[in-house]
Amino acid sequence: MKKTVFYLVIVILLSVFPSTVMASEKVPVTAEKPVTEIPTEVKTMLNRLEEIKDMDKSDLKSSERKELRKEVREIKKALKSSGRGIYISTGAIIIILLILLLL
């Protein structure tokens, strides 16, 4: 009985009073963002999209408009595929969170 009370008191004291072991002062490191230049292929695609957006489409035939729409879709698809993002599914995120909680 005395041991459980003793352990309970120690746990409460350790959780209530902050520990100064990890409270050392560290100089904050400023991370500089690397300058990432847009590749020339992407620039040309973006410029073409701007040209298409600025065009006056009222005097175009319907077949020409369809071609422009197809071109815009292809450019957008190419821009999405050239992205360097990492995609994680929601199931993977849930598994990662569960593993982190268990550790």
Side-chain angles (χ1 to χ4, degrees):
M1 183 70 165
K2 288 184 181 182
K3 284 185 179 181
T4 57
V5 173
F6 176 72
Y7 290 132
L8 183 63
V9 169
I10 288 178
V11 168
I12 291 173
L13 287 176
L14 289 176
S15 63
V16 172
F17 296 112
S19 176
T20 58
V21 173
M22 301 299 285
S24 65
E25 275 190 47
K26 293 182 182 179
V27 179
V29 178
T30 56
E32 295 180 16
K33 293 183 180 178
V35 178
T36 55
E37 294 184 17
I38 300 173
T40 56
E41 298 170 351
V42 174
K43 283 183 183 178
T44 56
M45 285 189 247
L46 290 174
N47 289 338
R48 180 62 182 150
L49 282 176
E50 288 297 320
E51 289 175 8
I52 292 173
K53 189 192 307 184
D54 294 337
M55 286 175 64
D56 183 26
K57 299 176 197 93
S58 61
D59 57 347
L60 296 176
K61 295 179 184 177
S62 63
S63 61
E64 293 172 342
R65 282 192 222 130
K66 284 182 183 180
E67 289 176 18
L68 279 178
R69 274 184 265 162
K70 286 181 184 179
E71 185 179 354
V72 168
R73 287 185 200 131
E74 289 174 5
I75 290 174
K76 287 185 178 182
K77 187 185 294 185
L79 287 174
K80 280 185 180 180
S81 66
S82 70
R84 298 182 186 117
I86 297 174
Y87 301 101
I88 300 175
S89 67
T90 55
I93 292 174
I94 291 171
I95 291 172
I96 290 170
L97 289 175
L98 286 174
I99 291 172
L100 288 175
L101 287 174
L102 291 175
L103 295 177

